[in-house]
Amino acid sequence: MSMSRPSPIQMREHLSGGDHPCVRSELVRHARGRGAGADVLQRLESMPDRTCDGPSAGSAEIL
């Protein structure tokens, strides 16, 4: 079963306040700590493992 696509607002909500630059595993950990649902976590885990300069970069990468 495929997950629904999280909205840009959901992504920003779960990625905001994190330290940057960071790598994918740090984004996932931060989003999980902010209560992200399975759809958000799945999208984060599916993005390439590279450094993100800020929350907008992370959300743009997966939306």
Side-chain angles (χ1 to χ4, degrees):
M1 174 165 53
S2 96
M3 292 279 165
S4 63
R5 182 173 282 238
S7 73
I9 292 170
Q10 288 173 301
M11 294 307 303
R12 285 187 197 101
E13 176 183 311
H14 295 298
L15 295 177
S16 69
D19 295 330
H20 292 91
C22 63
V23 294
R24 179 183 63 206
S25 61
E26 293 166 325
L27 287 175
V28 171
R29 184 174 30 250
H30 179 75
R32 187 174 285 124
R34 291 184 54 87
D39 55 343
V40 171
L41 296 174
Q42 181 182 33
R43 291 287 178 181
L44 288 172
E45 290 168 346
S46 70
M47 66 185 270
D49 193 17
R50 60 180 95 151
T51 301
C52 292
D53 293 328
S56 295
S59 59
E61 179 98 25
I62 59 175
L63 294 175

